[in-house]
Amino acid sequence: MEDTDAAARLREICLSLPEAVEKPFGGHTAPAYRVRGKLFVMTSEDGRTITFKGAPGVQEALVAEAPERFFVPPYVGHKGWVGARLDVDQDWDEIAELVEDSYRL
């Protein structure tokens, strides 16, 4: 999948959630998604990965089950955030569910 397709798909998923807005994080230019000022999805500057909040145990389960799709991200991984690669075949229904869970957290 092209990076732009992945970005468009992610934007559609995130902005379909109530009160969600797109606003870059810190000094970055990559899209990030927030609800009431709280981040729930961040995208990498190159558009190839995203990070999102995971409930306890979710990060470990996803990384163990599909390390080619999911990873422990730097900086926020120790807080339970999960990284997902968008430059590989992804299950977009699963990504949508994970994004919605992150939004709720």
Side-chain angles (χ1 to χ4, degrees), residues 12 14 16 33 47 52 60 62 71 75 98 100 102 105:
E12 186 179 328
C14 291
S16 72
Y33 299 91
F52 53 88
E60 295 82 0
L62 290 171
F71 63 95
Y75 310 114
L98 292 166
E100 197 170 315
S102 179
L105 291 171

Side-chain angles (χ1 to χ4, degrees), residues 39-60:
L39 286 163
F40 66 95
V41 172
M42 293 182 286
T43 59
S44 61
E45 290 294 322
D46 63 10
R48 288 169 92 178
T49 64
I50 61 170
T51 55
F52 53 88
K53 292 179 186 178
V58 168
Q59 178 196 80
E60 295 82 0

Side-chain angles (χ1 to χ4, degrees), residues 60-72:
E60 295 82 0
L62 290 171
V63 172
E65 178 187 311
E68 69 286 352
R69 294 173 47 218
F70 298 103
F71 63 95
V72 177

